[in-house]
Amino acid sequence: MIEFKHVNKWFGKLHVLNDVNLDIDPGEVLVICGPSGSGKSTLIRCINRLENIQEGEIIVDGVPVHDKKTNLTKLRADIGFVFQQFHLYPHMTVLQNVMLAPVNVKKMSSAAAEKISKEKLTQVGLTDKAGAYPAQLSGGQQQRVAIARGLAMSPKIMLFDEPTSALDPEMIGEVLDVMVNLVSEGMTMCVVTHEMGFAKKVADRVLFMDFGKIIETGRPDEFFDNPQTLRAADFISKILTH
Amino acid sequence: MLDDFNFRIIFEYMPLFLTGLRNTFFISIVSIMLALMTGTIACACRISSIKLLRYPAIAYIEIIRSTPLLVQIYFLYFGLPTLGVRVPEIQTGIIALMLNSGAYIAEIIRAGITSVDDGQIEAGVSSGLNYFQRMRFIILPQALGATVPPLLGQSIVLVKDSALLSLISVMELTRCGQTMTSERFMPSEAFLTVAFFYMCIYFCLKSLADWSQKKLIFREAY
């Protein structure tokens, strides 16, 4: 479903993605972890071309992402993206936030868009907050709205960039629950996170990155209990003891 | 001091002052409207990725902001005729105020646009919204809200700046005060009256600014 072929990317002199090769199957849940600055966020931001790459090829659902002729609007409409800082539109209500893209990108009628938006808000447990503004919601609720906003486009893939890192500890659970629920629906997901519990419970594969390279990949239980590389072992011990 | 004050003369000159008030009002309104248009266009060019638009806009904004308004007025008033362009004083004044405020307004609008968080723009990009949709639904509604108070502030500045047009003999409020002073030699009475009328205009604009700000804060909170 998502394929990286010898992808290289530099920020100036910094080699942020170093010969990345990766194959993600439909319905697969991939967790990406690694120290900060290891290129994990950049990796998933390349999938919907929030970032450009200098070398190699990324193919999503048969479409070469970084080809000049690619219809980016259509590509992005099929990929939901959830940010660390939620990035809801503060001047719109929750419902308007969720409806914006279905109406303007998918050209749905507002009645149809409202219907699907309310369904998705119900799915994330926020039916009663449709008329609220983002500033009136807690961090966890805002992030769930952001997930509903992605889901309202009926995407084939959902990308999560550290979705729980900006949250207070007691709100992490509610967001992870929504994501676990998505996994059970068979969504293809790439999640940048350090939530080991989530990774162990639902991930099909864990990918460990450092210095722009994929250092290690494996099943979550194998990766966390018995890492093959020193760097991964060091990283795991750090997130465990801390 | 007030014993020497001649209020009668103020009423005698009231028709002149009212003409001045009307002219100041007219010049200010027209200049603000034109400056808004100039500023919006200059700002659009300033943030454009096309160098042929961006560099002239930067040059315009920087030249205006680095020189005194009085110099700009004199330049247009004395300079344009030597170039063969003959424009009446009042139009010259309006052009000067328009160009001057336009540069400041361009920067105010730009500040409003850049105040919108990049993350929201990325959120719009990643859900497939194109440039114009992002401008219309995400950036402008928030940018305009943030720019209304400083724009009204700039309008207040423009009204007071219009006093400089008295120096190119435009018959606005300050010029009326000068006229009365030179005819009757009563500067205190003349400029007290002039100041009073400026204050009237100021308080009108300020209450408009306060009202719009309250409305905006209310909307953001709710």
Side-chain angles (χ1 to χ4, degrees):
Chain A
M1 186 120 201
I2 307 171
E3 204 178 338
F4 280 67
K5 288 182 189 166
H6 300 289
V7 173
N8 277 292
K9 177 177 175 61
W10 289 265
F11 281 133
K13 278 187 178 168
L14 185 71
H15 203 163
V16 277
L17 293 180
N18 189 341
D19 194 32
V20 171
N21 289 287
L22 183 63
D23 222 333
I24 303 167
D25 297 326
E28 186 176 353
V29 178
L30 178 75
V31 162
I32 305 168
C33 60
S36 83
S38 59
K40 50 196 194 307
S41 289
T42 310
L43 181 90
I44 68 164
R45 286 166 62 87
C46 287
I47 296 174
N48 71 347
R49 208 166 145 184
L50 280 178
E51 304 279 355
N52 280 311
I53 55 172
Q54 276 93 27
E55 275 174 24
E57 205 175 7
I58 300 174
I59 295 166
V60 174
D61 206 18
V63 181
V65 176
H66 294 266
D67 193 277
K68 278 202 179 94
K69 289 177 211 136
T70 299
N71 182 346
L72 275 178
T73 304
K74 201 183 165 310
L75 175 90
R76 284 169 175 157
D78 285 339
I79 305 175
F81 201 108
V82 175
F83 298 86
Q84 182 178 354
Q85 302 287 349
F86 336 131
H87 297 321
L88 297 179
Y89 313 128
H91 58 298
M92 298 183 192
T93 63
V94 164
L95 185 63
Q96 287 168 337
N97 263 279
V98 181
M99 279 173 65
L100 183 69
V103 170
N104 292 291
V105 179
K106 286 206 152 174
K107 309 291 177 199
M108 290 169 85
S109 69
S110 55
E114 189 173 329
K115 187 167 168 285
I116 189 167
S117 299
K118 284 193 167 154
E119 273 171 34
K120 298 303 172 188
L121 283 174
T122 307
Q123 191 179 339
V124 300
L126 290 171
T127 322
D128 53 331
K129 296 289 183 189
Y133 282 89
Q136 296 169 295
L137 304 181
S138 71
Q141 290 172 329
Q142 289 191 46
Q143 191 62 298
R144 285 188 281 155
V145 173
I147 295 173
R149 180 172 67 180
L151 293 176
M153 294 292 279
S154 315
K156 295 175 185 154
I157 300 165
M158 284 291 283
L159 307 173
F160 296 83
D161 188 2
E162 306 208 26
T164 56
S165 302
L167 296 176
D168 289 337
E170 78 269 22
M171 293 169 184
I172 292 176
E174 62 190 64
V175 172
L176 291 179
D177 285 347
V178 167
M179 291 166 64
V180 170
N181 174 266
L182 262 184
V183 174
S184 63
E185 290 190 352
M187 177 69 75
T188 308
M189 288 164 62
C190 289
V191 187
V192 173
T193 187
H194 295 155
E195 293 296 333
M196 278 174 43
F198 174 79
K200 281 186 171 168
K201 196 163 155 193
V202 297
D204 296 305
R205 200 159 33 135
V206 176
L207 189 147
F208 177 71
M209 287 185 77
D210 202 3
F211 298 111
K213 269 190 184 152
I214 297 176
I215 306 284
E216 192 172 333
T217 60
R219 297 228 328 265
D221 45 348
E222 286 168 6
F223 174 77
F224 286 113
D225 298 336
N226 188 18
Q228 301 299 307
T229 58
L230 206 59
R231 251 186 287 180
D234 183 46
F235 176 75
I236 292 165
S237 76
K238 271 182 190 145
I239 59 171
L240 273 181
T241 50
H242 149 79
Chain B
M1 177 205 162
L2 275 179
D3 299 341
D4 302 330
F5 234 77
N6 189 342
F7 284 103
R8 201 180 46 79
I9 198 89
I10 294 176
F11 288 104
E12 192 181 313
Y13 271 81
M14 200 46 88
L16 181 70
F17 283 124
L18 288 179
T19 312
L21 179 67
R22 209 186 60 215
N23 284 344
T24 292
F25 203 76
F26 168 76
I27 292 167
S28 302
I29 293 278
V30 174
S31 305
I32 289 167
M33 294 298 166
L34 292 173
L36 268 176
M37 279 162 52
T38 316
T40 311
I41 295 167
C43 174
C45 296
R46 174 71 181 78
I47 59 174
S48 160
S49 55
I50 304 164
K51 285 180 183 166
L52 211 63
L53 294 176
R54 190 169 73 238
Y55 287 137
I58 293 173
Y60 157 64
I61 291 166
E62 294 303 325
I63 288 169
I64 294 289
R65 297 202 326 152
S66 60
T67 52
L69 173 59
L70 184 56
V71 173
Q72 294 159 15
I73 293 171
Y74 278 153
F75 178 78
L76 290 172
Y77 185 64
F78 297 113
L80 283 184
T82 61
L83 295 173
V85 188
R86 294 213 160 270
V87 190
E89 294 89 1
I90 200 156
Q91 276 91 325
T92 310
I94 288 173
I95 292 170
L97 290 175
M98 167 191 94
L99 289 176
N100 183 270
S101 274
Y104 290 96
I105 287 174
E107 289 295 274
I108 290 173
I109 298 176
R110 189 164 74 96
I113 287 176
T114 47
S115 75
V116 176
D117 181 22
D118 282 345
Q120 289 175 41
I121 299 166
E122 276 192 345
V125 169
S126 62
S127 57
L129 295 168
N130 66 34
Y131 178 81
F132 291 103
Q133 289 169 332
R134 294 198 299 271
M135 269 287 168
R136 184 172 154 213
F137 297 115
I138 302 170
I139 300 172
L140 287 182
Q142 296 184 72
L144 291 183
T147 51
V148 167
L151 280 180
L152 280 163
Q154 180 61 32
S155 310
I156 291 169
V157 170
L158 185 143
V159 171
K160 291 183 292 172
D161 279 351
S162 72
L164 286 175
L165 299 188
S166 61
L167 294 167
I168 56 168
S169 60
V170 173
M171 212 38 169
E172 44 68 71
L173 263 177
T174 309
R175 183 74 182 169
C176 296
Q178 288 171 346
T179 307
M180 186 182 132
T181 306
S182 57
E183 285 176 12
R184 299 293 181 91
F185 201 68
M186 289 183 177
S188 322
E189 288 85 347
F191 288 107
L192 182 82
T193 317
V194 168
F196 171 76
F197 282 125
Y198 277 117
M199 278 172 69
C200 290
I201 301 181
Y202 167 78
F203 278 111
C204 289
L205 285 171
K206 189 176 143 46
S207 48
L208 195 64
D210 290 346
W211 174 77
S212 71
Q213 204 152 12
K214 246 183 230 154
K215 225 179 122 185
L216 285 170
I217 289 167
F218 182 74
R219 239 195 23 207
E220 259 165 45
Y222 257 85

